[in-house]
Amino acid sequence: GRRDTEVAAGRCRAPLPVWWGLLRGLLLAVLAAGSCRGNSVERKIYIPLNKTAPCVRLLNATHQIGCQSSISGDTGVIHVVEKEEDLKWVLADGPHPPYMVLLDGNLFTRGVMLQLKGTSRVSGLAVAVAKPSPPQGFSPGLKCPNDGFGVYSKDYGPQFAHCNKTVWNPVGSGLSYEHFDFPIFLLEDANETQVIKQCYQDHNVPRDGAGPQYPLCAMQLFSHMHAVTSTVTCMRRSSLQSTFSINPEVVCDPLLDYNVWSTLQPINSSGKVDPEKEVIIVATRIDSHSFFWNIAPGAESAVSSFVTHLAAAEALHKASDVHLLQRNVMFTFFQGETFDYIGSSRMVYDMEKDKFPLRLNNIHSFVELNQVALRNDSILWMHTDPVSRLNQTVESQIKNLLDILSNSSRGANVTLQEAGFSQPLPPSSFQRFLRARNIPGVVLTDHRTAFQNRYYQSMYDTPENIQMQYPEGLSPEETLEYVTDTAKALAEVATVVARALYQLAGGANNTSAIQADPKTVSRMLYGFLIKMNNSWFQSIIKPDLKGILGDVPQHYVAVSSPVNTTYLVQYVLANLTGTVVNLTKEECLNPEKTPSSEREMYDYTWVQGSLEPNSTSRVPYCVRSTVHLSKALSPAFELRQWGSTEYSTWTESRWKEIRARIFLVATKELEIITLVVGIVILVFSLLATYFINAKADVLFSVPQDSGAVAY
């Protein structure tokens, strides 16, 4: 019995033919190569474009705007358009449609875009940044920003509604509010733009008027959007999915974030301010927008004003008798104002519904900083509402407000002038407060009528637009500390505002000591416009938030909150107006455990501090401030009124992937031949496999062991 077992075992271990071993080794080698280098073929075929920004789809109660690709991406032969004459090839003459147009930034105009939109010969668009910025100006925003959501309507100042009196943004093309059913990407990297142009030069340039020969350089753009039609449609679909599906697929999200606010004198953030207590609101917006997703530098449209606001808050907090002032001052930074006043409309709603510490009747007056960096002859214009001024009580309060502001500018390099009684308010957060109540208020701007800013809501509203200039050869640290002329000018505006606020609040002392710091303004401009990841910002934020410090600052409101701008405004405001307190980390993070902390009056933040000299370790500390966050989500979503005409209804579509790549494409004939040959090889392989499998016992039989003896 044991011998039979050994013989059987011997047969099982009999050596296979040499050719079988070689075949198996070859198969294993091929499989190993495939698993280790499975994407090597893709890398050889495609060149990915890594520094791009897409145009995405946004929706409101009635419309969809923006762009999208088909679900599998859109592909086309590249054609470079550097002058208008080049469009003829794309629109009529070119023999290889559809085309992917590489468009020079100076041609990214409404006229050209409507030509491309009206043809089926274009499958997508890549826009190269114009350098220098287009001298004629470029604003894809509306000529009348936030039209229909401000104070003027058929019932209130109808002569001023729809910018009938003043067109605020005359260069506005409205491109951002058009819908394109092909993808449009911004090329942020000049090197990648050059790679595409070189590919075009090598393969796609027409020769002697005839079409180029294959292979041709092509581009593929992926930016398929899930939401369609309007906010009403997409929110209803998302709501149904959430109700009936275990794994709901949300197709759009409301634009939302947080407002940042603080007070000169602490108030109970969870209680209610005494009805008799008067508060002066100082306001500004902190968001911007452009045609492309998350490309929103907003130098003049947002940053210049909120940096000035922050500097004024610091200057006023340094006054020795602020705790004795008759009136409180509330510093407010609104998010989402670009999209029909999301932040301000929410704060007004919360005040009306008793969901905020202040009520509307606590507001003594309203001072708003709008675009202030591009002043002519150092003039700052004071805009008021001519309709509310017809009320004698409001008129006298506004006169007092204007007088105090004008007096505060004496001795400063800033001249304040009234824009005119018949001039309406420019687009401003103050308009949302006026819709609810007649409040005396003023909006400060660098323009009397139309915007000075020729790049409003565009990718060209950069530091260069507000004349920020640095000497060559400075290190990042030296650039951070360098005081530019722009910083000095904005510090002067901040000084005037701080002195006026002190007087409005009832201050009786001389205001000459109230002075904004140009060095602080310089640091803020550098951080919010050039490089967020700098040593000052690093030192004033929480240790677990250091990941928010990206390189290039953008100020788009987005759908995930808080965004980087909100966090940084919060911590800069706390740093400039707060107090360093002697608490341990444990006490700072849990102030309710410390009896004297007055937790309901103050906010406590443990920040990571500056680096120790010649060391990588930091010296953290605790900051006590009156800085708080409040929701900046449109009341329309709270009320589920997605078709509202009273409140903002903007949403952003979701998407699966955003990417772009270029590659060489062969002729249709060659592609068909390749496909047919592939199918033939596949069929042959299947047949060969079938017959080999059928004859496996013959082909792969194991020879008998001649040495074995059977009994």
Side-chain angles (χ1 to χ4, degrees):
R2 204 175 78 170
R3 177 64 175 163
D4 289 341
T5 305
E6 287 175 354
V7 170
R11 285 180 182 153
C12 289
R13 294 194 300 266
L16 293 172
V18 173
W19 63 267
W20 171 250
L22 291 172
L23 179 61
R24 186 176 65 174
L26 182 63
L27 285 169
L28 288 172
V30 169
L31 288 170
S35 62
C36 294
R37 302 173 60 190
N39 62 351
S40 62
V41 174
E42 182 177 352
R43 287 202 303 269
K44 288 178 180 176
I45 295 174
Y46 299 106
I47 298 176
L49 304 173
N50 297 317
K51 299 208 72 177
T52 60
C55 159
V56 303
R57 177 171 288 167
L58 300 174
L59 310 98
N60 67 7
T62 54
H63 291 80
Q64 61 180 18
I65 63 172
C67 325
Q68 78 154 355
S69 74
S70 62
I71 196 164
S72 55
D74 288 327
T75 305
V77 173
I78 296 170
H79 191 76
V80 175
V81 175
E82 294 180 324
K83 52 188 184 297
E84 283 210 48
E85 296 76 53
D86 296 337
L87 285 171
K88 192 167 181 287
W89 184 266
V90 173
L91 299 174
D93 297 347
H96 305 118
Y99 284 97
M100 277 284 174
V101 177
L102 174 55
L103 189 69
D104 183 88
N106 288 296
L107 293 177
F108 188 46
T109 62
R110 184 177 181 84
V112 169
M113 291 303 296
L114 292 183
Q115 286 186 67
L116 298 176
K117 183 180 179 179
T119 178
S120 60
R121 290 173 58 88
V122 173
S123 59
L125 196 66
V127 180
V129 178
K131 290 187 178 179
S133 301
Q136 72 277 14
F138 173 76
S139 172
L142 298 170
K143 291 183 185 296
C144 188
N146 291 0
D147 186 23
F149 289 86
V151 69
Y152 302 114
S153 66
K154 60 181 175 55
D155 302 317
Y156 187 99
Q159 69 272 33
F160 305 124
H162 313 300
C163 296
N164 286 336
K165 182 80 174 178
T166 306
V167 177
W168 296 107
N169 186 29
V171 298
S173 65
L175 264 184
S176 288
Y177 296 85
E178 290 284 336
H179 176 248
F180 298 91
D181 50 14
F182 54 76
I184 304 176
F185 278 54
L186 177 69
L187 301 173
E188 298 182 76
D189 187 350
N191 292 329
E192 289 189 344
T193 304
Q194 193 53 47
V195 167
I196 299 170
K197 287 184 176 180
Q198 190 60 53
C199 187
Y200 167 79
Q201 290 287 340
D202 293 344
H203 299 280
N204 294 13
V205 174
R207 309 291 178 190
D208 303 321
Q213 300 298 310
Y214 283 95
L216 298 173
C217 191
M219 183 185 293
Q220 190 171 29
L221 302 177
F222 297 84
S223 62
H224 181 66
M225 300 288 132
H226 293 174
V228 293
T229 310
S230 68
T231 289
V232 176
T233 302
C234 79
M235 289 300 291
R236 186 176 64 241
R237 288 179 180 174
S238 297
S239 179
L240 286 171
Q241 284 267 349
S242 301
T243 305
F244 297 108
S245 175
I246 298 173
N247 298 307
E249 183 182 342
V250 176
V251 295
C252 68
D253 300 283
L255 295 182
L256 64 98
D257 203 74
Y258 287 90
N259 298 321
V260 182
W261 63 275
S262 76
T263 51
L264 190 61
Q265 299 161 355
I267 63 172
N268 187 339
S269 59
S270 57
K272 292 287 177 288
V273 172
D274 190 306
E276 304 304 314
K277 183 68 176 175
E278 291 184 319
V279 179
I280 301 154
I281 290 186
V282 197
T284 191
R285 68 175 58 189
I286 58 175
D287 69 298
S288 188
H289 179 43
S290 82
F291 186 87
F292 298 99
W293 183 75
N294 207 28
I295 300 294
E300 161 74 339
S301 60
V303 177
S304 69
S305 55
F306 76 69
V307 160
T308 305
H309 187 170
L310 288 163
E314 180 192 33
L316 188 55
H317 267 271
K318 286 180 177 177
S320 57
D321 59 338
V322 289
H323 59 288
L324 301 174
L325 294 177
Q326 174 188 346
R327 300 183 185 98
N328 205 346
V329 179
M330 177 171 150
F331 305 98
T332 314
F333 300 81
F334 291 120
Q335 237 328 344
E337 295 300 273
T338 304
F339 294 96
D340 300 337
Y341 306 119
I342 292 173
S344 54
S345 62
R346 179 53 186 260
M347 184 171 283
V348 171
Y349 174 82
D350 286 345
M351 286 181 176
E352 290 176 322
K353 302 296 181 185
D354 277 347
K355 296 180 178 179
F356 196 78
L358 265 67
R359 299 176 182 87
L360 287 169
N361 57 11
N362 287 120
I363 301 174
H364 169 267
S365 52
F366 199 105
V367 178
E368 180 168 353
L369 284 160
N370 215 307
Q371 304 179 79
V372 293
L374 298 175
R375 304 197 306 281
N376 277 339
D377 301 322
S378 297
I379 296 173
L380 208 58
W381 295 97
M382 301 182 289
H383 298 263
T384 56
D385 171 42
V387 181
S388 60
R389 290 183 71 171
L390 296 174
N391 179 307
Q392 287 305 309
T393 306
V394 173
E395 167 66 8
S396 62
Q397 291 172 310
I398 289 177
K399 280 279 188 189
N400 179 55
L401 178 58
L402 296 176
D403 289 344
I404 288 174
L405 279 164
S406 298
N407 292 337
S408 299
S409 67
R410 289 176 185 166
N413 191 24
V414 181
T415 306
L416 275 87
Q417 293 187 14
E418 193 175 345
F421 189 86
S422 61
Q423 177 83 7
L425 286 169
S428 51
S429 307
F430 178 42
Q431 292 199 31
R432 291 302 301 195
F433 284 79
L434 271 180
R435 279 176 76 131
R437 187 170 179 266
N438 269 357
I439 297 169
V442 62
V443 178
L444 302 177
T445 73
D446 55 22
H447 55 89
R448 182 176 188 175
T449 54
F451 295 162
Q452 297 274 21
N453 185 5
R454 293 173 299 136
Y455 304 108
Y456 182 73
Q457 287 185 11
S458 93
M459 56 191 169
Y460 301 113
D461 192 5
T462 57
E464 291 75 23
N465 186 33
I466 58 172
Q467 283 90 51
M468 276 178 65
Q469 296 174 334
Y470 295 93
E472 290 185 11
L474 295 184
S475 68
E477 203 61 30
E478 290 169 335
T479 312
L480 172 69
E481 301 294 340
Y482 182 81
V483 179
T484 61
D485 290 341
T486 303
K488 292 174 186 174
L490 292 179
E492 287 170 349
V493 175
T495 298
V496 170
V497 171
R499 289 174 179 177
L501 291 172
Y502 175 79
Q503 290 183 329
L504 276 169
N509 292 342
N510 190 301
T511 59
S512 58
I514 298 175
Q515 190 81 36
D517 183 4
K519 195 158 196 171
T520 302
V521 176
S522 284
R523 286 176 162 189
M524 290 191 285
L525 288 173
Y526 179 81
F528 285 112
L529 285 175
I530 296 173
K531 190 179 176 66
M532 277 188 170
N533 194 11
N534 61 73
S535 59
W536 185 49
F537 278 6
Q538 288 168 9
S539 69
I540 63 174
I541 62 170
K542 290 180 178 180
D544 58 336
L545 287 179
K546 56 188 175 185
I548 70 169
L549 297 177
D551 274 345
V552 182
Q554 304 297 347
H555 307 293
Y556 173 60
V557 57
V559 295
S560 56
S561 59
V563 295
N564 298 2
T565 305
T566 304
Y567 272 131
L568 288 169
V569 168
Q570 178 189 4
Y571 290 116
V572 168
L573 184 58
N575 177 269
L576 298 180
T577 63
T579 308
V580 177
V581 289
N582 187 23
L583 295 178
T584 64
K585 182 178 180 180
E586 180 65 27
E587 291 169 334
C588 190
L589 296 176
N590 303 283
E592 64 279 357
K593 295 180 180 178
T594 307
S596 60
S597 68
E598 297 181 283
R599 179 70 183 90
E600 61 283 345
M601 307 292 280
Y602 295 101
D603 181 75
Y604 291 81
T605 309
W606 185 257
V607 300
Q608 59 181 10
S610 302
L611 288 170
E612 291 181 319
N614 304 316
S615 171
T616 56
S617 61
R618 295 182 176 273
V619 185
Y621 56 91
C622 186
V623 175
R624 186 185 73 182
S625 71
T626 61
V627 180
H628 305 279
L629 298 180
S630 67
K631 265 188 183 180
L633 169 66
S634 171
F637 298 100
E638 197 95 343
L639 301 168
R640 295 175 68 87
Q641 295 175 359
W642 304 319
S644 173
T645 55
E646 167 76 9
Y647 299 112
S648 171
T649 55
W650 284 106
T651 54
E652 181 186 273
S653 174
R654 289 197 178 186
W655 58 81
K656 186 177 181 181
E657 62 174 345
I658 299 286
R659 61 191 175 103
R661 60 190 185 181
I662 63 172
F663 57 96
L664 294 181
V665 63
T667 64
K668 292 291 182 187
E669 293 80 2
L670 182 57
E671 288 180 344
I672 291 169
I673 291 170
T674 305
L675 177 64
V676 170
V677 170
I679 292 171
V680 169
I681 292 173
L682 175 64
V683 171
F684 176 78
S685 302
L686 291 172
L687 290 172
T689 303
Y690 172 77
F691 284 115
I692 290 171
N693 187 57
K695 301 294 183 181
D697 55 337
V698 177
L699 293 170
F700 304 115
S701 61
V702 179
Q704 295 291 326
D705 189 350
S706 57
V709 180
Y711 292 95

